[in-house]
Amino acid sequence: MLVSRRELIARELAEGTGATIAVGFLDGGLRRGLRIWFDDLDEKHGPVAELRPYGLKSHRVHLAFGPFAVRVLATIRAAEAEDVQLARSLVRSVARTAEVTVTDQALDDWTVADARFGITATFRHDTINPDTDEAVILTCREVLVPLMAAMAELIGYDVVEEVAGTDLPAIEGALSRSTVNRRERNPRNRLLCLRIHGRTCRICGTDPEAVYGAAGSIIEVHHLEPVSMLHEPRPYDPETDLVPLCPSCHRAVHTRRPWPYTPEELMGMMGIHHD
């Protein structure tokens, strides 16, 4: 049952969106669903995702805005082009594995103009029982997380900038509401990087989840051009500027300062030759 997995869903969403998440019940007879929203906005003042069982094998997510979301909608309409691009990319990534529709708009160039905006995604589980933890986690990662992360990007949630002097990524965690500083490490950039490139280390080929199982969500995202070396903020493209690295390879590339070794240089040192 979905309703018994509130904490699991909230944890998955907080990690992927960089925002604190609230999860409540959705009435629906014997097959009750869940409502998911950003905790600081509450469910009436921001985007809300409704997760329900659908048919025998599917989960359906519908994302819309609460009745008093006027201020949040104004913030979203003022979002920078970079934020809109990343949000659209996250929504498009859902369409790789789910059936996705945006209310009265095309998938590639939608905008949040007013409270009539909505996204619906249907995700089918053909090989596993949709009532299991495994299926719920998969629905979170493939549908709920990227959809809510897209909204978080448009609203402007950002992690606090790391303490100066460290050469390794800060742990994703504390949150701030701010004008967007593009030097900050954006959890949605990380999310989209992993959705594009996968969770296998670009250098050694290790898949931590295959090695460590439930303890394997340790893949890290490496900035090919270090954030600390930028003379002025610039947008990052997760497809070309970020790569997934295992913790060992990530630490190894950063043993050279201020410019880390490139993945190709470290592969050469290790005698690795990828086709």
Side-chain angles (χ1 to χ4, degrees):
M1 298 288 290
L2 290 174
V3 295
S4 66
R5 297 179 172 86
R6 293 171 65 189
E7 291 185 7
L8 181 154
I9 291 170
R11 185 170 61 249
E12 288 283 333
L13 281 158
E15 179 181 345
T17 64
T20 52
I21 297 294
V23 181
F25 296 121
L26 180 66
D27 290 333
L30 295 176
R31 305 188 74 191
R32 296 176 70 188
L34 296 171
R35 290 171 62 83
I36 299 109
W37 64 91
F38 297 118
D39 193 37
D40 66 324
L41 293 177
D42 78 52
E43 58 183 319
K44 294 182 179 180
H45 293 85
V48 179
E50 296 185 348
L51 170 63
R52 301 174 184 266
Y54 185 74
L56 296 177
K57 292 182 174 291
S58 300
H59 292 145
R60 172 163 284 182
V61 175
H62 179 69
L63 185 145
F65 284 83
F68 305 113
V70 175
R71 292 182 62 182
V72 169
L73 289 166
T75 298
I76 290 175
R77 286 194 296 270
E80 297 180 3
E82 177 192 344
D83 302 323
V84 174
Q85 179 182 350
L86 180 55
R88 287 173 176 168
S89 295
L90 285 164
V91 172
R92 281 197 302 270
S93 75
V94 178
R96 297 174 183 172
T97 55
E99 180 182 333
V100 180
T101 58
V102 180
T103 304
D104 297 327
Q105 297 189 64
L107 189 61
D108 289 334
D109 60 357
W110 52 266
T111 58
V112 182
D114 52 43
R116 291 173 294 180
F117 178 83
I119 298 175
T120 301
T122 304
F123 185 63
R124 182 177 173 86
H125 294 280
D126 285 318
T127 59
I128 56 177
N129 185 334
D131 291 331
T132 62
D133 282 358
E134 181 184 4
V136 172
I137 289 173
L138 192 58
T139 296
C140 283
R141 294 183 178 179
E142 293 297 323
V143 180
L144 269 171
V145 169
L147 289 185
M148 291 296 283
M151 296 301 107
E153 185 67 15
L154 294 173
I155 292 168
Y157 288 96
D158 283 283
V159 291
V160 173
E161 193 169 1
E162 67 187 67
V163 177
T166 180
D167 61 343
L168 291 175
I171 295 173
E172 311 288 345
L175 303 175
S176 66
R177 291 294 300 268
S178 64
T179 56
V180 178
N181 179 348
R182 284 300 146 191
R183 291 186 184 225
E184 292 180 355
R185 300 183 191 277
N186 186 330
R188 275 83 67 190
N189 277 335
R190 169 187 166 82
L191 173 63
L192 189 54
C193 171
L194 297 181
R195 290 182 68 80
I196 292 171
H197 299 294
R199 295 175 176 265
T200 298
C201 178
R202 173 64 62 88
I203 294 174
C204 70
T206 297
D207 177 355
E209 290 186 346
V211 176
Y212 301 108
S217 58
I218 57 175
I219 198 72
E220 297 176 356
V221 168
H222 173 62
H223 293 71
L224 295 173
E225 181 180 5
V227 174
S228 60
M229 295 302 293
L230 291 179
H231 295 297
E232 58 184 47
R234 73 162 179 84
Y236 272 93
D237 182 341
E239 186 165 7
T240 58
D241 295 328
L242 307 176
V243 293
L245 297 181
C246 72
S248 295
C249 287
H250 200 187
R251 182 167 292 275
V253 298
H254 279 285
T255 58
R256 185 173 73 181
R257 300 186 178 111
W259 286 95
Y261 292 108
T262 67
E264 292 73 22
E265 287 174 323
L266 190 61
M267 288 165 60
M269 296 177 194
M270 298 169 67
I272 297 174
H273 302 283
H274 290 328
D275 295 333

